[in-house]
Amino acid sequence: MGRQSPGCLVGPLLALFLQAASAGDLSGSQVLEEDALPENTSWDAEEGQGNESLEHAFFSVDYQHVQVPFEITLWIMLASLAKIGFHLYNKLPSVVPESCLLVFVGLIMGGIIYGLNDKSPPVMDSDIFFLYLLPPIVLDAGYFMPSRPFFENIGTILLYAVVGTIWNVFGIGFSLYGICQVKSFQLQDVSLLHNLLFGSLIAAVDPVAVLAVFEEIHVNEKLHILVFGESLLNDAVTVVLYKLFRSFCEMPAIKTMDVLAGVGKFFVVGIGGILVGLAFGMISAFTTRFTKTIRVIEPLFVFLYSYLSYLTAEMFHLSGIVAIIACAMGMKRYVEANISLKSHTTIKYFMKMWSSVSDTLIFIFLGVSTIGENHEWNWPYIFFTVIFCLIWRALGVLVLTFFVNRFHVNTVTGKDQFIIAYGGLRGAICFSLVFLLPDFHRKKLFIAATTVVILFTVFVQGMTIRPLVDLLDVKKKRESAPTVGEQIHIRFLDHLLAGIEDISGHWGQYYWKDKLEYFNSKYLQKFLLREYDQPKSSIVLLYEKLERKHAIELAEAGQLGHTPSPLSLLNSHRSVTTDGKPEDILNPDVLENIQEILARNLFRIRRTVPAYNRHTLPGETEPAEQAKEILILRHRSLRMELSENDTVGSSKEKDDSCSAQEDSSPKPKLCRSLTVRNAERTREPKHNRSKSVCVISALQPGGAAWANKKEAEKELTPDI
Amino acid sequence: MGSRASTLLLSHSQITRLYSRFTSLDKGENGTLSREDFQRIPELAINPLGDRIINAFFSEGEDQVNFRGFMRTLAHFRPIEDNEKSKDQNGPEPLNSRSNKLHFAFRLYDLDKDDKISRDELLQVLRMMVGVNISDEQLGSIADRTIQEADQDGDSAISFAEFVKVLEKVDVEQKMSIRFLH
């Protein structure tokens, strides 16, 4: 660790100096151009002289030629090196979230550039942000969004996104106007409309910042999806309100018709965005139907169509974010069925890569743009802005949750509410919007206030949210540590409850889901899928791989139905029957050992861990690994049971054919047809295994199978 | 159906709700659910106790469960309301009482129905609930410890009374209640 830390600093420092040099060139480029002319003429003049001009010809620097791509690449390089640097030093990301560190690097960069040039550093152009940096992040979020929890909680999410944002906007706008009335603050000239305009851009919760911070704290799936979904969908509201108030600022008089038009505009923006997104999604799915012979460019279609949907929506002043999310979620299913596995992996990796780069660049630019002369520091205004943002968000969450809890059955607990309220981080979207404001005399004040709010939320709220969450958890801990038995039984009950909840289904979702599935299977699939047979997902492929492996094992062992490895349960059972286990009192440190083992190894309940993770692919996250493990275990135990029954001696031949079948749900159910036939013997088998369709049903006569096993083993033991 | 439902203490809206869920699961549309219908629920496939939970719905030797059986099993998970606690003690205990909830859980452990959780049965459940990193000896010692903590009559198995005693500090009513059935 000691050796690594200087190394981790060298990388960013090197990049910093490269940057400073290039920035020096940037500002001095004009000077260079002027110098170039005399150089050129002098070169022409010297041409005749011979030797000196030859030296010039061998080594010349032409920076302008490559300037733009060179600098872009250097910025991206800086961002990536900074990321490596942070992760090399392990302790840091747990205390300070990555976004803070990146902003900090940006601040340093901005400071260096300012110091070198005495001029303001390049401000992040709003166009660059909205057209190039934001789409990859939102695409990544939309593509990997776990759709089941999203749609289950869609009502709550929409409520928070739409009503919550409107509440925040008007609350902040009006209260800031109230502050402006106070004479001593010298803010009289900031009108109500200006304040509302400011409120509309500062109220929106930013998906980039939220995502960055929420990864560090491990919240349960539902909470994660609530805040995440809200931050994505409030874009529609923000866009409408921002444009509305801006146009109001320019209009001499405001009539009620205009206000109503604004409300109508909101629906147009939202629904229009969804329609544009879905249209492009369907076209994309249709296109991938024909790419069988040119697999190499398949990933390109996904990105092109998503980006097109974003740009088209922006062109019509609809919500680009909603469009790109709708596009990604709509096309995902069909595209994944049509494209090859390698294209699929490529898409996933590229998306993660681009969104990661974008994310890092945004935060660095945020830091860089902060330094400079763009600000007017009116401290009371800024101070009250921060206060009001916090207060109105907390109030909004409280009131809305009250309503949600009355109508919904999955209650949002107090702790959840705190996290939602406190996790309402503002980020780069606010920043870009404030730069897009029309130039009026108080613009710098708004810029300053926005900067402070963003820095406050990212740094203070980002860093303190984890300790506060832990603090809230600690209060609910028990006084004494649970005994081993309690731990096991509690986990048992948790799994049981999760299973029962899944069986009993969730509140009213299935009606629409079934309808959609019906529509899908009848019409959409025929149109959009290349092969109409059922697609295979990774779990199914894993199963098939296991099948092949087992078949090979069997072939090697030479005999069907002979398990090479001893069955652990059989062993333990034998040990109980053969020797009486001595009652030994286990030591306390053995107990601690056990507690530790259990804590590490007990399977987690499905609901507590979110499936979406910024930095890893879906197949590699912990819950997915756990799911695979559970399936492997069940597969193994099924095999053991089947092969045991073979060694029992009754003549049964088992015939396994694995046909994996995917139904309406994203994760496939595994079905194997298991037929048990009698071989040549005419003797009737002990129990008739009915033809059952699914894996688990082989374990079906739960108690009966075990009872039979015991009988079988008792027959075996005298033989041995 | 009306009078029977009242012994299960489900309200009309809850029954309607469960019925719509029942029909959406029943793909064969013959009024009963088979095991395959349950296995079609994807989350159950990756629940470590999935098989056992499904088995709990089916009575001994049966392959199909009708709506009444479905409701009956789910009724165990209804939350206990405060006004029920002071109800008439002479009537039959409602299905969602603490004792019945625990009995339901006990039956999931106790496969051979001898009213005891033997070391074997405990081992099976443990094996289902932990990952592959635990060796069999470790698992065995965990099982031994569990039995040792709970066992009071010295038979190296956990009887129902001992099971209840282990969980006396745990808020079973909350842990074994589905929130929606409120």
Side-chain angles (χ1 to χ4, degrees), chain A residues 288-498:
Chain A
T288 54
R289 190 174 162 186
F290 302 107
T291 57
K292 191 163 184 180
T293 45
I294 27 166
R295 295 278 189 192
V296 192
I297 59 171
E298 271 174 345
L300 199 57
F301 285 117
V302 172
F303 293 112
L304 286 179
Y305 278 108
S306 317
Y307 196 44
L308 267 180
S309 73
Y310 182 80
L311 292 174
T312 312
E314 288 289 323
M315 182 169 73
F316 289 114
H317 289 294
L318 304 171
S319 167
I321 293 185
V322 173
I324 206 174
I325 292 176
C327 181
M329 290 180 92
M331 76 174 163
K332 179 171 175 183
R333 209 160 126 180
Y334 304 105
V335 162
E336 289 195 351
N338 282 337
I339 62 180
S340 69
L341 199 59
K342 288 188 184 149
S343 302
H344 190 214
T345 312
T346 311
I347 291 179
K348 289 200 281 196
Y349 265 107
F350 262 98
M351 258 193 221
K352 287 290 177 194
M353 187 181 81
W354 266 323
S355 73
S356 198
V357 167
S358 270
D359 177 77
T360 319
L361 277 178
I362 287 176
F363 281 114
I364 289 191
F365 273 136
L366 207 62
V368 169
S369 308
T370 312
I371 312 278
E373 290 157 359
N374 288 324
H375 307 283
E376 177 195 330
W377 303 98
N378 183 319
W379 289 106
Y381 193 76
I382 296 176
F383 177 68
F384 277 108
T385 308
V386 175
I387 300 278
F388 284 136
C389 281
L390 285 173
I391 294 180
W392 281 105
R393 174 126 181 116
L395 278 178
V397 168
L398 272 174
V399 171
L400 284 177
T401 316
F402 176 70
F403 280 113
V404 165
N405 284 346
R406 288 215 12 217
F407 292 115
H408 270 248
V409 291
N410 303 330
T411 57
V412 182
T413 69
K415 174 184 160 197
D416 290 347
Q417 288 176 40
F418 171 74
I419 293 181
I420 296 176
Y422 202 65
L425 305 176
R426 273 72 169 174
I429 291 188
C430 314
F431 201 64
S432 310
L433 284 177
V434 85
F435 275 102
L436 276 177
L437 280 177
D439 270 318
F440 63 103
H441 62 286
R442 283 294 186 163
K443 183 171 170 181
K444 291 196 173 176
L445 171 65
F446 287 164
I447 295 179
T450 313
T451 312
V452 173
V453 169
I454 295 176
L455 288 179
F456 179 80
T457 55
V458 169
F459 277 98
V460 175
Q461 282 181 245
M463 284 207 274
T464 56
I465 195 167
R466 166 119 69 129
L468 282 174
V469 168
D470 289 338
L471 198 66
L472 283 176
D473 267 339
V474 165
K475 282 192 186 150
K476 295 184 186 159
K477 271 208 186 125
R478 303 158 50 102
E479 309 78 30
S480 60
T483 64
V484 170
E486 266 180 354
Q487 247 187 316
I488 293 179
H489 294 315
I490 289 176
R491 185 54 62 95
F492 180 83
L493 291 180
D494 285 336
H495 281 302
L496 171 61
L497 188 66

Side-chain angles (χ1 to χ4, degrees), chain A residues 148 485 489-490 494-495 497 502-503 506 568 573 597 601 603 629-630 634 669 694 696 700 706, chain B residues 17 21 35 39-40 43 45-47 51 63 109 112 120 124 129-131 134 136 138 149 166 175:
Chain A
R148 186 193 52 90
H489 294 315
I490 289 176
D494 285 336
H495 281 302
L497 188 66
D502 289 326
I503 291 179
H506 299 280
S568 60
H573 188 83
I597 291 175
N601 281 289
F603 282 134
E629 237 180 59
I630 296 178
R634 289 173 78 185
K669 306 140 313 301
C694 281
I696 300 89
Q700 154 213 354
W706 273 106
Chain B
R17 164 95 183 62
R21 175 63 169 158
R35 287 196 165 76
Q39 282 146 5
R40 233 176 252 117
E43 291 83 11
I46 55 167
N47 188 316
D51 308 331
D63 262 351
Y109 270 106
D112 54 3
D120 252 358
Q124 279 177 60
M129 292 208 297
V130 303
I134 298 197
D136 295 323
Q138 285 173 318
E149 281 171 357
V166 171
K175 269 209 179 300

